[in-house]
Amino acid sequence: MIKADHITKVFGKNEVLKGISTTVEKGEVVTIIGPSGSGKSTFLRCLNLLEEPTSGQIYINDEEITSPRVNKMEIRKSIGMVFQHFHLFPHMTALENVMYAPQKVKGMSKKEAEQIGKNLLARVGMTDKETAYPNRLSGGQKQRVAIARALAMEPEIMLFDEPTSALDPEMVKEVLDVMKGLAETGMTMVIVTHEMNFAKEVADKILFLDDGVLLEETEPNTFFTNPSTERAQSFLEKVL
Amino acid sequence: MNLDFSQIVPYIPFILEGIGATLKFVSVSILAGFILGTILAIFKITGFWPLKVFADVYTSIFRGTPLILQLMIIYLAVPQLTGYDISAFLSAVLAFGLNSAAYVSEIIRAGIMAVDKGQTEAAKALGVPYRAMMLNIILPQAFKNILPALMNEFITLTKESALVSTIGYLDLMRRAQIAGADIYRNFEPLFFAGVIYWVMVTILTLAGRYVERRMRQSD
């Protein structure tokens, strides 16, 4: 479903990604792990072209999205993204946040969008906050609304960029539970996270990045019990 | 003390008519300046450099020369070049509208830049087209933040509008001067006009606060 082929990204003189190749199958849950500054988020952001790779190709369903002829907006319609800092639209209620893209991007009627919005907010357990503005919500609630907002476009792929890193500890679980539920529905998910237990439990595959290089690409059991590189071993010693 | 407000009583209707004249061209100028200023602000933040250069040069010229000079050029010098006999009203609207646009564009540009970059990213990630993103996501947030600065600009424009008295437009200021010349007394009509300007600005200020409160509903 996703194929990345020798992706590099250079910011000024700083080579953040040094040729990353991987594939993600349909329905697969992939978590990207690694130390800060390893390029995890940059790689994730390349997948929906929020960052443009300096070189290399990315294919979604065999279509090369890194081709200059491609319409980025079309590509992004089928890829949802959840950010570390939520980025909800502060001047819209929770429900309006979820309804906005289906109406404006897909041209859906207000009634239809409202139905979808209400269903999705119910799915993330936010029915009682439909009319609340974002700054009335806790971090965990905001992130759940943000997930509902991304799902409203009925994406084929969901990208999560450290979705729980900005949350108070007691709110992490409610967001991870929503993500687990989503994984169980067979959604293709790519998740940058520091939540090792979540990765162990939910991921089909772990990517370990360090200094812009993909050091390990393996299933969670092997990665957490018997990582093949020394770098991954020392990383795990520190975080587990 | 030589003060006699009863002297201006016969002129009160004449001076009051100036309120309408002033409000008419001030409101058209504010509207024109606001629309043009928004367009210029968007020019300034696009990646397309000719538009950016145009907007920057425009701002530099209109902020870098006196408003009264711009007014004179439009009213006196343009007819000399084109032969078109421009009216005082049109000159006033053009000068104040074009001038205000330069200031408004800077205010709006700053407001847009101050909106969290994550908002743009969230909109992009949802596949929202640029126009809709600007109109529905970025500008509403920008306007909320810059409302006090915008109100300030509108108030300045309302007061500076008295400059049009120099081209013979019968606004509040001009009428006060005419009344003064007629009765050989200046304090009373000027004081009267001053009170009216103050009341207009106060109403504008209160209206601004009201809009601000309405927009802060999501806080």
Side-chain angles (χ1 to χ4, degrees), chain A residues 45 48 50 73 76-77 79-81 83 87-92 100-101 104-105 133 135-136 149-150 153, chain B residues 116-130 132-133 136-138 140-141 144 217-219:
Chain A
R45 289 160 58 85
N48 68 348
L50 280 184
M73 248 134 49
R76 289 176 183 142
K77 282 182 199 172
I79 308 176
M81 185 161 200
F83 300 88
H87 301 328
L88 289 179
F89 305 134
H91 56 304
M92 299 183 190
Y100 177 74
K104 286 289 166 178
V105 181
Y133 284 98
N135 57 8
R136 294 272 169 209
R149 178 177 69 174
M153 287 297 289
Chain B
D116 181 8
K117 224 176 128 252
Q119 294 290 308
T120 314
E121 293 199 336
K124 276 186 184 170
L126 287 165
V128 178
Y130 183 80
M133 175 179 84
N136 307 136
I137 310 286
I138 306 299
Q141 294 183 54
K144 193 169 122 180
Q217 265 178 352
S218 59
D219 285 358

Side-chain angles (χ1 to χ4, degrees), chain A residues 32-115:
Chain A
I32 307 178
I33 288 173
S36 299
S38 57
K40 318 181 285 289
S41 287
T42 306
F43 177 67
L44 189 79
R45 289 160 58 85
C46 283
L47 297 180
N48 68 348
L49 300 175
L50 280 184
E51 302 289 354
E52 280 185 57
T54 307
S55 69
Q57 289 86 41
I58 295 170
Y59 301 86
I60 307 258
N61 293 328
D62 297 324
E63 185 191 0
E64 191 201 332
I65 64 165
T66 37
S67 150
R69 286 192 312 273
V70 124
N71 181 343
K72 287 184 201 169
M73 248 134 49
E74 281 303 315
I75 298 296
R76 289 176 183 142
K77 282 182 199 172
S78 60
I79 308 176
M81 185 161 200
V82 174
F83 300 88
Q84 180 178 0
H85 295 286
F86 332 118
H87 301 328
L88 289 179
F89 305 134
H91 56 304
M92 299 183 190
T93 64
L95 183 59
E96 285 165 354
N97 262 281
V98 182
M99 288 167 61
Y100 177 74
Q103 283 185 90
K104 286 289 166 178
V105 181
K106 284 187 165 173
M108 203 177 271
S109 76
K110 196 177 169 194
K111 229 181 124 193
E112 259 181 296
E114 195 173 319
Q115 197 50 53

